[in-house]
Amino acid sequence: MTSDKLKQYIALFGGLLSAILLFLQSLGIDLTWFTDDTINAFVEVLLNAVPFILVIYGVYKNTYIVTKKAKEQEKALKEEGLK
């Protein structure tokens, strides 16, 4: 999944929340904490948090100090002269 697709999914989720907001307003239900501004803020948080989480996961998966299996793999790479 590319970052562009991820942004599209997050925007789709924000649009869904906006549609829910309009539906609730049409029924006369007014939630003071559920507004266009809070939806936009939530979408911005997702746009910034999701890539951060993906980077942290990438760093975790590409280090040789976290798990026992990774340490063994690093040792094998060093023995074969690949690291």
Side-chain angles (χ1 to χ4, degrees), residues 9-82:
Y9 282 119
I10 292 171
L12 178 68
F13 184 68
L16 176 66
L17 289 177
S18 295
I20 291 170
L21 175 64
L22 290 174
F23 177 72
L24 291 175
Q25 287 177 344
S26 70
L27 294 176
I29 299 172
D30 186 29
L31 303 173
T32 57
W33 55 269
F34 191 53
T35 63
D36 286 329
D37 291 334
T38 57
I39 291 171
N40 290 336
F42 184 67
V43 168
E44 286 297 318
V45 166
L46 285 179
L47 283 172
N48 292 309
V50 171
F52 177 73
I53 291 168
L54 292 175
V55 167
I56 294 298
Y57 178 73
V59 169
Y60 166 76
K61 291 299 283 184
N62 290 312
T63 58
Y64 294 105
I65 60 172
V66 180
T67 63
K68 182 178 178 181
K69 182 179 175 183
K71 290 176 186 175
E72 291 171 1
Q73 183 180 12
E74 181 183 30
K75 183 180 176 185
L77 288 172
K78 284 183 180 178
E79 288 173 357
E80 294 178 16
L82 298 174

